[in-house]
Amino acid sequence: MTQQEETNGLLDALLTAMEKGVIPATERGVAAGNKVFGAALLRKSDLSTVLVETNNETENPLWHGEVHTLKRFYEMAEAERPDTRDLIFLSTHEPCSMCLSAITWAGFDNFYYFFSHEDSRDMFSIPHDLKILKEVFTLEPGGYRRKNAFWRALSIRELIDGMPEPQRELLKQRADAISRKYDQLSEVYQASKEGNAIPLN
């Protein structure tokens, strides 16, 4: 199998996890007053989905999509729980500083994200990730190291842009449909957020 075929298979699995797992979970989460962020864990070996979760800040403001996913992951029976080194971490949105640290402490050597920090601010009117990076860590957008001693971070959109045709166009169509769905979910969240008790909504 060529590198392009492997990347195409990986992108297909990541988009499928979003389409069939994370988005339905996020629809339920947003209906309950939570933000649009979600995550999934996939096996490196066969790209099957182990777990999907979504933001649950109405229960606990620390339950961002990524952290809530890790909470559920460590609630799995130890005998059934894969080693994090054998998993792919999918985040719908580029993780905030808390989630970056949680992914690191859990031992993942990778994560893939669909929307960037700037997308969270500009498309979803949720500026807190960048504001915390700037105010607490004095980092500009993208200021953290995407390849470091702990993990490698990769943008799903950038990977799609690097694919040859016709795969690129097919993947882009799916990615655009996912973006439209998140636009709809964001409208629902923004219309209802004043009624929730999330500190940074």
Side-chain angles (χ1 to χ4, degrees), residues 137-148:
F137 301 102
T138 64
L139 291 175
E140 297 297 333
Y144 70 94
R145 293 176 60 200
R146 285 177 169 75
K147 186 175 183 182
N148 54 63

mmCIF file with all atom_site columns, all heavy atoms in Angstrom, residues 137-148:
data_model
loop_
_atom_site.group_PDB
_atom_site.id
_atom_site.type_symbol
_atom_site.label_atom_id
_atom_site.label_alt_id
_atom_site.label_comp_id
_atom_site.label_asym_id
_atom_site.label_entity_id
_atom_site.label_seq_id
_atom_site.pdbx_PDB_ins_code
_atom_site.Cartn_x
_atom_site.Cartn_y
_atom_site.Cartn_z
_atom_site.occupancy
_atom_site.B_iso_or_equiv
_atom_site.pdbx_formal_charge
_atom_site.auth_seq_id
_atom_site.auth_comp_id
_atom_site.auth_asym_id
_atom_site.auth_atom_id
_atom_site.pdbx_PDB_model_num
ATOM 1   N N   . PHE A 1 137 ? -0.435 31.874 28.494 1.00 0.00 ? 137 PHE A N   1
ATOM 2   C CA  . PHE A 1 137 ? 0.823  31.329 27.978 1.00 0.00 ? 137 PHE A CA  1
ATOM 3   C C   . PHE A 1 137 ? 1.548  32.271 27.011 1.00 0.00 ? 137 PHE A C   1
ATOM 4   O O   . PHE A 1 137 ? 2.611  31.927 26.504 1.00 0.00 ? 137 PHE A O   1
ATOM 5   C CB  . PHE A 1 137 ? 0.549  29.995 27.278 1.00 0.00 ? 137 PHE A CB  1
ATOM 6   C CG  . PHE A 1 137 ? -0.066 28.965 28.181 1.00 0.00 ? 137 PHE A CG  1
ATOM 7   C CD1 . PHE A 1 137 ? -1.426 28.702 28.127 1.00 0.00 ? 137 PHE A CD1 1
ATOM 8   C CD2 . PHE A 1 137 ? 0.699  28.271 29.100 1.00 0.00 ? 137 PHE A CD2 1
ATOM 9   C CE1 . PHE A 1 137 ? -2.010 27.760 28.959 1.00 0.00 ? 137 PHE A CE1 1
ATOM 10  C CE2 . PHE A 1 137 ? 0.136  27.322 29.939 1.00 0.00 ? 137 PHE A CE2 1
ATOM 11  C CZ  . PHE A 1 137 ? -1.230 27.069 29.881 1.00 0.00 ? 137 PHE A CZ  1
ATOM 12  N N   . THR A 1 138 ? 0.977  33.432 26.758 1.00 0.00 ? 138 THR A N   1
ATOM 13  C CA  . THR A 1 138 ? 1.517  34.442 25.825 1.00 0.00 ? 138 THR A CA  1
ATOM 14  C C   . THR A 1 138 ? 1.823  33.845 24.455 1.00 0.00 ? 138 THR A C   1
ATOM 15  O O   . THR A 1 138 ? 2.815  34.187 23.817 1.00 0.00 ? 138 THR A O   1
ATOM 16  C CB  . THR A 1 138 ? 2.785  35.134 26.397 1.00 0.00 ? 138 THR A CB  1
ATOM 17  O OG1 . THR A 1 138 ? 3.846  34.180 26.552 1.00 0.00 ? 138 THR A OG1 1
ATOM 18  C CG2 . THR A 1 138 ? 2.485  35.800 27.728 1.00 0.00 ? 138 THR A CG2 1
ATOM 19  N N   . LEU A 1 139 ? 0.960  32.953 23.989 1.00 0.00 ? 139 LEU A N   1
ATOM 20  C CA  . LEU A 1 139 ? 1.127  32.315 22.688 1.00 0.00 ? 139 LEU A CA  1
ATOM 21  C C   . LEU A 1 139 ? 0.128  32.879 21.685 1.00 0.00 ? 139 LEU A C   1
ATOM 22  O O   . LEU A 1 139 ? -1.042 33.089 22.009 1.00 0.00 ? 139 LEU A O   1
ATOM 23  C CB  . LEU A 1 139 ? 0.912  30.801 22.784 1.00 0.00 ? 139 LEU A CB  1
ATOM 24  C CG  . LEU A 1 139 ? 1.969  29.999 23.553 1.00 0.00 ? 139 LEU A CG  1
ATOM 25  C CD1 . LEU A 1 139 ? 1.543  28.542 23.649 1.00 0.00 ? 139 LEU A CD1 1
ATOM 26  C CD2 . LEU A 1 139 ? 3.322  30.108 22.863 1.00 0.00 ? 139 LEU A CD2 1
ATOM 27  N N   . GLU A 1 140 ? 0.596  33.114 20.480 1.00 0.00 ? 140 GLU A N   1
ATOM 28  C CA  . GLU A 1 140 ? -0.281 33.508 19.391 1.00 0.00 ? 140 GLU A CA  1
ATOM 29  C C   . GLU A 1 140 ? -0.963 32.246 18.837 1.00 0.00 ? 140 GLU A C   1
ATOM 30  O O   . GLU A 1 140 ? -0.533 31.125 19.138 1.00 0.00 ? 140 GLU A O   1
ATOM 31  C CB  . GLU A 1 140 ? 0.527  34.202 18.284 1.00 0.00 ? 140 GLU A CB  1
ATOM 32  C CG  . GLU A 1 140 ? 1.192  35.500 18.717 1.00 0.00 ? 140 GLU A CG  1
ATOM 33  C CD  . GLU A 1 140 ? 0.201  36.566 19.131 1.00 0.00 ? 140 GLU A CD  1
ATOM 34  O OE1 . GLU A 1 140 ? -0.955 36.544 18.644 1.00 0.00 ? 140 GLU A OE1 1
ATOM 35  O OE2 . GLU A 1 140 ? 0.576  37.442 19.936 1.00 0.00 ? 140 GLU A OE2 1
ATOM 36  N N   . PRO A 1 141 ? -2.017 32.398 18.002 1.00 0.00 ? 141 PRO A N   1
ATOM 37  C CA  . PRO A 1 141 ? -2.642 31.219 17.388 1.00 0.00 ? 141 PRO A CA  1
ATOM 38  C C   . PRO A 1 141 ? -1.598 30.341 16.699 1.00 0.00 ? 141 PRO A C   1
ATOM 39  O O   . PRO A 1 141 ? -0.741 30.838 15.961 1.00 0.00 ? 141 PRO A O   1
ATOM 40  C CB  . PRO A 1 141 ? -3.605 31.837 16.369 1.00 0.00 ? 141 PRO A CB  1
ATOM 41  C CG  . PRO A 1 141 ? -3.940 33.175 16.927 1.00 0.00 ? 141 PRO A CG  1
ATOM 42  C CD  . PRO A 1 141 ? -2.688 33.642 17.613 1.00 0.00 ? 141 PRO A CD  1
ATOM 43  N N   . GLY A 1 142 ? -1.654 29.054 16.987 1.00 0.00 ? 142 GLY A N   1
ATOM 44  C CA  . GLY A 1 142 ? -0.694 28.132 16.389 1.00 0.00 ? 142 GLY A CA  1
ATOM 45  C C   . GLY A 1 142 ? 0.687  28.205 17.005 1.00 0.00 ? 142 GLY A C   1
ATOM 46  O O   . GLY A 1 142 ? 1.642  27.639 16.462 1.00 0.00 ? 142 GLY A O   1
ATOM 47  N N   . GLY A 1 143 ? 0.809  28.869 18.158 1.00 0.00 ? 143 GLY A N   1
ATOM 48  C CA  . GLY A 1 143 ? 2.117  29.080 18.762 1.00 0.00 ? 143 GLY A CA  1
ATOM 49  C C   . GLY A 1 143 ? 2.710  27.869 19.449 1.00 0.00 ? 143 GLY A C   1
ATOM 50  O O   . GLY A 1 143 ? 3.888  27.870 19.784 1.00 0.00 ? 143 GLY A O   1
ATOM 51  N N   . TYR A 1 144 ? 1.910  26.849 19.685 1.00 0.00 ? 144 TYR A N   1
ATOM 52  C CA  . TYR A 1 144 ? 2.464  25.642 20.312 1.00 0.00 ? 144 TYR A CA  1
ATOM 53  C C   . TYR A 1 144 ? 3.122  24.766 19.236 1.00 0.00 ? 144 TYR A C   1
ATOM 54  O O   . TYR A 1 144 ? 2.863  24.922 18.046 1.00 0.00 ? 144 TYR A O   1
ATOM 55  C CB  . TYR A 1 144 ? 1.372  24.866 21.058 1.00 0.00 ? 144 TYR A CB  1
ATOM 56  C CG  . TYR A 1 144 ? 0.337  24.198 20.179 1.00 0.00 ? 144 TYR A CG  1
ATOM 57  C CD1 . TYR A 1 144 ? 0.485  22.872 19.793 1.00 0.00 ? 144 TYR A CD1 1
ATOM 58  C CD2 . TYR A 1 144 ? -0.793 24.885 19.738 1.00 0.00 ? 144 TYR A CD2 1
ATOM 59  C CE1 . TYR A 1 144 ? -0.456 22.251 18.982 1.00 0.00 ? 144 TYR A CE1 1
ATOM 60  C CE2 . TYR A 1 144 ? -1.729 24.277 18.935 1.00 0.00 ? 144 TYR A CE2 1
ATOM 61  C CZ  . TYR A 1 144 ? -1.561 22.960 18.554 1.00 0.00 ? 144 TYR A CZ  1
ATOM 62  O OH  . TYR A 1 144 ? -2.486 22.353 17.746 1.00 0.00 ? 144 TYR A OH  1
ATOM 63  N N   . ARG A 1 145 ? 3.973  23.862 19.660 1.00 0.00 ? 145 ARG A N   1
ATOM 64  C CA  . ARG A 1 145 ? 4.716  23.023 18.717 1.00 0.00 ? 145 ARG A CA  1
ATOM 65  C C   . ARG A 1 145 ? 3.872  21.810 18.327 1.00 0.00 ? 145 ARG A C   1
ATOM 66  O O   . ARG A 1 145 ? 3.584  20.961 19.170 1.00 0.00 ? 145 ARG A O   1
ATOM 67  C CB  . ARG A 1 145 ? 6.033  22.576 19.331 1.00 0.00 ? 145 ARG A CB  1
ATOM 68  C CG  . ARG A 1 145 ? 7.003  23.735 19.546 1.00 0.00 ? 145 ARG A CG  1
ATOM 69  C CD  . ARG A 1 145 ? 8.266  23.297 20.253 1.00 0.00 ? 145 ARG A CD  1
ATOM 70  N NE  . ARG A 1 145 ? 8.945  22.275 19.460 1.00 0.00 ? 145 ARG A NE  1
ATOM 71  C CZ  . ARG A 1 145 ? 9.838  21.427 19.966 1.00 0.00 ? 145 ARG A CZ  1
ATOM 72  N NH1 . ARG A 1 145 ? 10.124 21.457 21.248 1.00 0.00 ? 145 ARG A NH1 1
ATOM 73  N NH2 . ARG A 1 145 ? 10.434 20.554 19.192 1.00 0.00 ? 145 ARG A NH2 1
ATOM 74  N N   . ARG A 1 146 ? 3.525  21.707 17.058 1.00 0.00 ? 146 ARG A N   1
ATOM 75  C CA  . ARG A 1 146 ? 2.677  20.609 16.589 1.00 0.00 ? 146 ARG A CA  1
ATOM 76  C C   . ARG A 1 146 ? 3.429  19.284 16.473 1.00 0.00 ? 146 ARG A C   1
ATOM 77  O O   . ARG A 1 146 ? 2.818  18.234 16.341 1.00 0.00 ? 146 ARG A O   1
ATOM 78  C CB  . ARG A 1 146 ? 2.026  20.986 15.253 1.00 0.00 ? 146 ARG A CB  1
ATOM 79  C CG  . ARG A 1 146 ? 0.892  21.984 15.444 1.00 0.00 ? 146 ARG A CG  1
ATOM 80  C CD  . ARG A 1 146 ? 0.281  22.437 14.135 1.00 0.00 ? 146 ARG A CD  1
ATOM 81  N NE  . ARG A 1 146 ? -0.943 23.165 14.375 1.00 0.00 ? 146 ARG A NE  1
ATOM 82  C CZ  . ARG A 1 146 ? -1.000 24.411 14.847 1.00 0.00 ? 146 ARG A CZ  1
ATOM 83  N NH1 . ARG A 1 146 ? 0.101  25.057 15.125 1.00 0.00 ? 146 ARG A NH1 1
ATOM 84  N NH2 . ARG A 1 146 ? -2.165 25.012 15.045 1.00 0.00 ? 146 ARG A NH2 1
ATOM 85  N N   . LYS A 1 147 ? 4.735  19.350 16.520 1.00 0.00 ? 147 LYS A N   1
ATOM 86  C CA  . LYS A 1 147 ? 5.548  18.136 16.583 1.00 0.00 ? 147 LYS A CA  1
ATOM 87  C C   . LYS A 1 147 ? 6.549  18.339 17.707 1.00 0.00 ? 147 LYS A C   1
ATOM 88  O O   . LYS A 1 147 ? 7.348  19.277 17.673 1.00 0.00 ? 147 LYS A O   1
ATOM 89  C CB  . LYS A 1 147 ? 6.267  17.886 15.251 1.00 0.00 ? 147 LYS A CB  1
ATOM 90  C CG  . LYS A 1 147 ? 7.004  16.561 15.210 1.00 0.00 ? 147 LYS A CG  1
ATOM 91  C CD  . LYS A 1 147 ? 7.599  16.302 13.841 1.00 0.00 ? 147 LYS A CD  1
ATOM 92  C CE  . LYS A 1 147 ? 8.282  14.933 13.802 1.00 0.00 ? 147 LYS A CE  1
ATOM 93  N NZ  . LYS A 1 147 ? 8.910  14.675 12.480 1.00 0.00 ? 147 LYS A NZ  1
ATOM 94  N N   . ASN A 1 148 ? 6.479  17.484 18.721 1.00 0.00 ? 148 ASN A N   1
ATOM 95  C CA  . ASN A 1 148 ? 7.332  17.649 19.892 1.00 0.00 ? 148 ASN A CA  1
ATOM 96  C C   . ASN A 1 148 ? 7.672  16.282 20.469 1.00 0.00 ? 148 ASN A C   1
ATOM 97  O O   . ASN A 1 148 ? 7.376  15.256 19.855 1.00 0.00 ? 148 ASN A O   1
ATOM 98  C CB  . ASN A 1 148 ? 6.626  18.552 20.928 1.00 0.00 ? 148 ASN A CB  1
ATOM 99  C CG  . ASN A 1 148 ? 5.244  18.030 21.281 1.00 0.00 ? 148 ASN A CG  1
ATOM 100 O OD1 . ASN A 1 148 ? 5.097  16.935 21.820 1.00 0.00 ? 148 ASN A OD1 1
ATOM 101 N ND2 . ASN A 1 148 ? 4.208  18.822 20.963 1.00 0.00 ? 148 ASN A ND2 1
#
